[in-house]
Amino acid sequence: MPPPTPASVAAVTAAELPALQRRTTAVLVVSQILGGLGVPIGITLAPVLATEISGTEAVSGLAPTASVVGTALLSVPLASLMTSRGRRPGLVLAYLIGALGAALVVVAALTDNFPLLLVGMAGFGAASSANLQARFAAADLAAPDRRARSISTVVWATTIGAVLGPNIAAPAGRVFADTSIPLTAAPFLWAAVIFLLTGVLVAVLLRPDPLLTARALAPREEQSAASRSLRAGLAAVKASPRARLALVTVAVSHTTMVSIMTMTPVHLGHHGAGLELVGLVISGHIAGMYAFSPVMGWLSDRLGRLSVIGLAAGLLSLAAFLAGTSGGSHGQTAAGLFVLGLGWSAGLVSGSALLTDSVPQPARAAVQGLSDLTMNSAAAVGGAAAGLIVAQAGYGWLNAAGALLLLPMAALALFTGRTSPKEAALAVKG
C-alpha cells in the first residue's frame, strides 16, 4: 500500500481549519488524559516491582530507566512512521506497543523474570513517546501565533491522568487480590487496557490526519518525499540556529528536571520525611509541570519563544538553588520542586513551539522525533548520573550540576537574538 499523498487527503478550506483544529485538539486532550492514567502507574510501581522480582533494591532503578530508554529508542521510528503515514498510525502503534509492554511486565512478575521485566518496561515507554508526540500533533494545524497555546493545551491535559494515575494503582491492584497476579503487577493490566482504549480512540476519531492535512495545504514544491526524510530533518536543524536552540532547550530542561526530581525522594528520606510527605512534594512538582502549561503557551505566543526560554532558564536556576540549599527544610524542598516543574513546563512548551516554527513543514515530524530522542536520551543519562553524584557528593552538588547544564541553553538563547528574515517568513507561512 503506497503512503498517503496530499491528493489523498480530503480538501480543507481556510474557513474549515479552525473547527478542524478544535476537533483535533479535543481528541488529543482525551487521549492525553487516558494515556496519562496509564503512564504514571509504571513510574510509581516499576521500582517496587523490580525489587520484588530481583530480590534487591540495587537494581530497582533499572526498570524505570528501561522505560525512559524505550521512550528514547522508539521516538525516531515512530516519527519516521508519522512522516510517511501521518500522526494517527504512529500514535496508534505507540499505544499498542505500550499495551504489549504492560502485558509483558505482568508476565515477568508471574514468572519472576527480571530481563523480561526490563523488556516490558522498554515497550511500556512507547506510551510515553505517544504522549510526547501528541503535543506536536496539536501544532500541525495551529496558526503560528497560537501554536504554543495549542501545544500547552495538550500538555496540560496530562495533569488529570498524572494526578489520578498513581491514586488508581492501589484500587486497580486489589481487583486481582484473589488471583496469582502480584498486587504490584496488577495495575499494569489496567494500564494495558487503558493504552488499548487510547489507541482505538485515536484510530477512530483523529480524522482527517492533522499532519497529512497540513502537508496537503503546503506549497507543492514542499511535498516531495525527500523533503520529509530524516536526513532532511537533520539538514533543517543544521541550517537553523533557532532549531538548534529549541533542541537544546527541550533536552536541557527535561534532563535538569529528571535528574533533580529523581533524587528528591531520597533527599527527603534522609531528612526524616515519610512517604505521605514525599508524595505531597512530588504531587506539587507534577502540578508545576502540567497545570500551568497554558500560561507558558500564552506567554510564548504573546512575548515570544526566546523570552519564555529565558524564563525557563531563570526558573530552573531558582529551583536548583532552593532545592540544593534546602537541607532539612521540607517546605523549601517542596518549593524548589514546584518551581522545577514550572521551569520544565516553560522550557518544553516554548522549545517545542520554537522547533515547529523553525523548520520547513515537510521536515517537522522527523525533527520532532529527533527532539524527543535527544530529550529522553539525555534524561536517561542524567537520571543515571544523578544517583552517583548524590552518593559521592550530596544532593546540593546534584542541584549545582543541574544549574550548570543551563549555561549552554542560556548562552544560545542570548546569542540567537532576533528572528532572521528567512526564519520569520517560515514561521508566518508555516
Side-chain angles (χ1 to χ4, degrees):
M1 179 179 177
T5 62
S8 67
V9 179
V12 176
T13 66
E16 294 171 328
L17 265 181
L20 177 57
Q21 171 64 4
R22 288 193 296 270
R23 182 175 182 274
T24 299
T25 301
V27 173
L28 293 171
V29 164
V30 175
S31 74
Q32 286 295 92
I33 293 173
L34 289 174
L37 285 173
V39 170
I41 288 175
I43 297 172
T44 304
L45 295 177
V48 180
L49 192 56
T51 300
E52 291 181 358
I53 293 175
S54 66
T56 174
E57 292 185 352
V59 297
S60 62
L62 292 181
T65 299
S67 179
V68 174
V69 171
T71 302
L73 292 178
L74 289 166
S75 297
V76 170
L78 289 173
S80 178
L81 177 60
M82 291 181 193
T83 297
S84 61
R85 298 283 179 176
R87 297 288 185 193
R88 187 166 55 88
L91 292 175
V92 170
L93 179 61
Y95 283 121
L96 291 179
I97 295 174
L100 176 60
L104 287 177
V105 169
V106 177
V107 175
L110 288 171
T111 58
D112 287 330
N113 190 323
F114 187 74
L116 184 60
L117 171 67
L118 298 183
V119 173
M121 287 306 301
F124 189 91
S128 295
S129 187
N131 280 6
L132 288 170
Q133 286 285 327
R135 77 189 191 275
F136 290 122
D140 285 333
L141 298 174
D145 62 348
R146 296 190 62 86
R147 194 168 278 154
R149 275 170 280 188
S150 297
I151 291 172
S152 66
T153 298
V154 172
V155 173
W156 170 85
T158 310
T159 309
I160 300 173
V163 171
L164 292 179
N167 292 302
I168 69 170
R174 286 195 291 268
V175 171
F176 298 92
D178 295 329
T179 70
S180 59
I181 300 175
L183 290 179
T184 48
F188 283 91
L189 280 181
W190 286 104
V193 173
I194 288 169
F195 294 154
L196 286 174
L197 289 175
T198 308
V200 170
L201 172 82
V202 172
V204 172
L205 297 182
L206 195 63
R207 297 172 183 268
D209 190 284
L211 179 59
L212 297 183
T213 302
R215 188 176 295 162
L217 296 172
R220 185 170 298 275
E221 62 269 17
E222 294 184 359
Q223 295 179 3
S224 68
S227 66
R228 303 193 298 266
S229 66
L230 180 59
R231 178 176 295 182
L234 290 170
V237 172
K238 183 178 180 181
S240 171
R242 291 167 69 84
R244 294 196 294 273
L245 169 61
L247 279 175
V248 170
T249 296
V250 172
V252 168
S253 298
H254 193 58
T255 303
T256 301
M257 183 277 291
V258 169
S259 301
I260 295 174
M261 180 271 292
T262 298
M263 298 310 299
T264 297
V266 176
H267 168 72
L268 289 169
H270 288 165
H271 290 279
L275 290 178
E276 290 186 359
L277 179 57
V278 171
L280 286 174
V281 171
I282 297 302
S283 294
H285 169 66
I286 291 174
M289 288 175 64
Y290 297 117
F292 295 88
S293 58
V295 176
M296 302 305 176
W298 182 83
L299 290 173
S300 294
D301 285 335
R302 292 299 297 271
L303 302 181
R305 321 305 193 210
L306 296 183
S307 296
V308 180
I309 288 174
L311 175 63
L315 288 171
L316 291 169
S317 298
L318 176 59
F321 173 77
L322 289 172
T325 60
S326 62
S329 172
H330 298 154
Q332 185 172 331
T333 302
L337 265 288
F338 176 73
V339 175
L340 183 71
L342 289 177
W344 175 88
S345 181
L348 184 77
V349 171
S350 60
S352 299
L354 181 63
L355 186 68
T356 304
D357 292 342
S358 303
V359 297
Q361 194 283 329
R364 282 176 187 166
V367 171
Q368 289 158 355
L370 177 65
S371 171
D372 282 353
L373 170 65
T374 304
M375 175 179 79
N376 287 290
S377 299
V381 173
L388 296 175
I389 294 174
V390 169
Q392 297 297 321
Y395 183 69
W397 283 103
L398 171 64
N399 282 272
L404 287 175
L405 285 177
L406 300 169
L407 292 178
M409 183 178 91
L412 274 176
L414 182 64
F415 289 107
T416 296
R418 301 180 64 182
T419 308
S420 68
K422 180 180 178 180
E423 290 192 328
L426 174 64
V428 171
K429 184 172 66 173

